[in-house]
Amino acid sequence: MLSITTKIEEDHYQIKLNGEVDIYTVDQLKEAIDDKMKQNPKKIVFDFGDLGYIDSTGIGALIGIKGKYKDTDIKIINLRSNVKKLFEITGIIRIFSVE
Amino acid sequence: MERMEKNMIVSLTLPNAPEFVSVARLALSGVADRMGFDVDDIEDLKVAVSEACTNALKHGSKKEGGKYFVHYTIKEKKLIIDVCDDGKGIDIENIKTPDLDHPKESGLGLYIIQTLMDEVEITNRENNGASIRMIKNMRE
């Protein structure tokens, strides 16, 4: 299961993921981001604090989002250690601003 | 683990439907926790089994009612996971190591499995799909 909530802050969208991103839920993530991007935000911040699980399907989606919305500043915060480990293994920690 | 018998096998038959990959993770968590794997190893194992299941869904039979199998073989100091599909097999010769300086959207699954597990073996059964065997040793 995955739930996605968005908060509009002064200068960015804060998108919080809660649950798991896998082959079943990944389309939900892609659709939610495409929907938010219609507003043309200059910056989005993903809060991964409640994201318990992600695998290559989710990581692939994030790489796709980064490539598709090149002009948007994308930051990811509050990565859990298991998620951060996958970011490091796959090298995507180098293409995102991560805190 | 001391009281557990050796070579017990927990097996799942899963439909070729993405919503049930999480069932493989849940079963894995139960088995690995019972064996005494630590939390970090269980997280690694969950990712590895999901990647193999995702692979089975992508490469497995597209027929209605298609299914694949996940077997957890419990050894004294290691867990063997077999994920077997009934598709056309994996093009083993053409498995590439991803270019981590230029990450792409696909092609990460098998690489992640190989990074997280101690041993990985991919075999194609003649006219009968592919199997991914993954082994994780318990830490001393």
Side-chain angles (χ1 to χ4, degrees):
Chain A
M1 295 298 288
L2 174 68
S3 69
I4 301 168
T5 49
T6 305
K7 209 159 89 181
I8 301 169
E9 302 282 358
E10 200 173 310
D11 66 339
H12 68 272
Y13 280 23
Q14 176 120 342
I15 299 173
K16 191 172 175 64
L17 305 190
N18 185 314
E20 302 186 321
V21 180
D22 69 359
I23 189 170
Y24 178 51
T25 57
V26 70
D27 286 342
Q28 194 187 333
L29 172 64
K30 289 181 191 168
E31 284 161 19
I33 301 308
D34 284 341
D35 187 50
K36 298 292 170 276
M37 288 301 187
K38 285 179 192 157
Q39 317 297 323
N40 249 335
K42 288 207 165 36
K43 180 178 178 181
I44 59 174
V45 177
F46 284 105
D47 184 345
F48 277 13
D50 291 325
L51 180 69
Y53 176 87
I54 192 167
D55 58 28
S56 69
T57 55
I59 287 181
L62 291 172
I63 294 168
I65 289 163
K66 178 85 179 165
K68 195 169 169 185
Y69 303 105
K70 288 190 175 68
D71 297 333
T72 305
D73 179 13
I74 302 174
K75 190 177 188 179
I76 303 175
I77 61 168
N78 298 329
L79 276 82
R80 293 188 183 183
S81 61
N82 58 314
V83 175
K84 190 170 185 189
K85 182 176 179 181
L86 268 192
F87 270 53
E88 286 166 348
I89 288 171
T90 55
I92 77 158
I93 199 149
R94 287 183 245 163
I95 65 166
F96 283 100
S97 159
V98 173
E99 266 179 25
Chain B
M1 183 62 196
E2 281 76 20
R3 288 182 194 168
M4 287 179 89
E5 289 175 36
K6 293 167 200 168
N7 293 324
M8 288 193 295
I9 301 177
V10 175
S11 293
L12 298 175
T13 303
L14 294 170
N16 281 357
E19 57 267 46
F20 293 103
V21 170
S22 58
V23 174
R25 286 200 294 278
L26 281 171
L28 180 275
S29 289
V31 169
D33 183 54
R34 178 60 65 109
M35 288 178 72
F37 277 101
D38 66 28
V39 175
D40 290 339
D41 280 345
I42 292 174
E43 291 300 331
D44 290 352
L45 286 161
K46 278 164 64 179
V47 174
V49 76
S50 293
E51 298 293 356
C53 292
T54 300
N55 200 74
L57 287 173
K58 285 181 178 164
H59 300 287
S61 165
K62 305 291 181 219
K63 286 181 287 192
E64 196 177 338
K67 54 186 183 289
Y68 63 100
F69 307 92
V70 184
H71 307 289
Y72 302 107
T73 304
I74 300 157
K75 298 271 189 183
E76 195 175 350
K77 289 191 171 153
K78 63 182 169 187
L79 175 61
I80 302 172
I81 306 171
D82 292 298
V83 177
C84 313
D85 66 49
D86 58 353
K88 291 176 182 167
I90 296 171
D91 187 1
I92 297 170
E93 303 269 306
N94 279 320
I95 296 174
K96 291 175 189 149
T97 305
D99 176 2
L100 299 185
D101 290 324
H102 304 92
K104 287 191 182 145
E105 287 177 60
S106 59
L108 291 169
L110 288 172
Y111 171 73
I112 290 174
I113 292 173
Q114 283 163 339
T115 307
L116 297 178
M117 301 298 283
D118 294 314
E119 292 174 50
V120 181
E121 191 184 343
I122 301 167
T123 48
N124 286 319
R125 300 183 306 278
E126 202 171 333
N127 300 323
N128 199 20
S131 294
I132 301 180
R133 166 164 283 200
M134 301 165 283
I135 299 176
K136 187 82 167 171
N137 300 315
M138 298 193 73
R139 293 175 208 228
E140 293 299 325

